[in-house]
Amino acid sequence: MTNNCGYTVWPGLLSGAGTAPLSTTGFALAHGASATVDAPASWSGRMWARTLCAEDATGKFTCATGDCGSGGIQCNGGGAAPPATLVEFTLDGSGGMDFFDVSLVDGYNLPMIIVPQGGGAAAPAGSGGGSGGKCMATGCLVDLNGACPADLRVMAASTGTGAAAPGGGPVACRSACEAFGSAQYCCSGAYGNPNTCRPSTYSQFFKNACPRAYSYAYDDSTSTFTCTAGTNYAITFCPSTTR
C-alpha cells in the first residue's frame, strides 16, 4: 500500500468469516509512505483508508471517514463505517484465481487503485471463469467528493471528530442506499436480485466517473477482476490521475 494523499491515512483491514487473520488490522500511513502486508493462502477480506483521524482526551481513536468502531488504530475485526472506498479480495478462489474489485457500493471517501504485479499478472483471457480472466488495474482515480450530489455529500462539520478536512469542504460521498434507505437503492426485498435492482441516477454518477468500480450491488460484469493465484497487488491511495 502506498499513500499519495497529501495527508496521513489509516488503512483498515478486515478478514472475511472463516479466513485466517492478517498480521495487522490497522495502521498509520503517512503521506508518501508505503507498507507491505502479507496475506495467507486463500485469504478473503477487504481493505480501505480511514481519514481525518484523531484521539480525544480519553485516548479514544476515531476517524471522520471509514471508522471501524474499535476506538484504536487497530480495527480488531471492525469494518468500515460507510461511506468508504473499499478494495475486496478473494485470493486463490475458484479455478485457482484471485478475484478483486474496488467497490463504491458503500459510498466513497478517496480515490484508490489496485495494480496487479508479479507472476500472475499475465493471466490468459478466459481463465477467470465468469469474470473472463481480466488481470488488470482497477479502481477509482477521480476525486468525487467535490462533485458529489448535494443529497449524498458528507461535510467535515458533520463527522464529529473535530478534525478539519484537508483544504476544507466535503470529505465523503454516501451511497443512495445509505442516504435514503430504500429497498430500490439497497437492492433488498423485492429488489434483491439482478433483474429488479437496476442502476439508478445515483449509481450512474459513480459508474460514469469510475467505470471499473462497483457502483451498486449487481454491477459484477464490469467490476470484478481476476489474476492467477500468487499475484502481488499494489494498492495506492490518491493515485495520480495523469494516466
Side-chain angles (χ1 to χ4, degrees):
M1 297 183 188
T2 300
N3 177 20
N4 278 351
C5 303
Y7 46 88
T8 299
V9 301
W10 288 260
L13 305 96
L14 176 65
S15 296
T19 298
L22 299 173
S23 59
T24 180
T25 58
F27 54 93
L29 196 61
H31 165 63
S34 296
T36 298
V37 177
D38 291 324
S42 301
W43 182 81
S44 67
R46 52 180 48 180
M47 305 172 182
W48 67 96
R50 295 168 285 172
T51 68
L52 300 167
C53 304
E55 285 187 352
D56 65 15
T58 68
K60 183 180 180 181
F61 180 84
T62 57
C63 302
T65 75
D67 190 79
C68 54
S70 67
I73 293 179
Q74 294 281 334
C75 284
N76 297 326
T85 313
L86 301 175
V87 52
E88 302 174 312
F89 282 106
T90 297
L91 303 181
D92 196 10
S94 175
M97 303 295 290
D98 293 345
F99 295 78
F100 60 99
D101 65 79
V102 168
S103 174
L104 308 180
V105 173
D106 290 336
Y108 166 100
N109 66 338
L110 50 68
M112 182 192 302
I113 191 171
I114 314 171
V115 181
Q117 298 182 321
S127 63
S131 52
K134 297 185 296 185
C135 188
M136 61 183 71
T138 184
C140 182
L141 297 177
V142 183
D143 183 354
L144 297 180
N145 290 332
C148 182
D151 44 359
L152 303 183
R153 195 175 298 158
V154 177
M155 303 300 291
S158 64
T159 60
T161 67
V171 297
C173 190
R174 295 187 294 173
S175 68
C177 174
E178 185 198 356
F180 309 119
S182 70
Q184 177 182 357
Y185 293 133
C186 295
C187 291
S188 59
Y191 295 90
N193 67 76
N195 294 321
T196 56
C197 193
R198 309 301 301 168
S200 67
T201 55
Y202 291 105
S203 71
Q204 283 298 129
F205 162 74
F206 292 109
K207 196 65 178 177
N208 290 341
C210 305
R212 293 190 186 181
Y214 264 87
S215 61
Y216 76 107
Y218 295 108
D219 200 7
D220 304 81
S221 63
T222 59
S223 307
T224 299
F225 296 83
T226 57
C227 296
T228 54
T231 302
N232 297 322
Y233 299 90
I235 301 171
T236 304
F237 304 113
C238 304
S240 167
T241 57
T242 57
R243 293 184 58 186

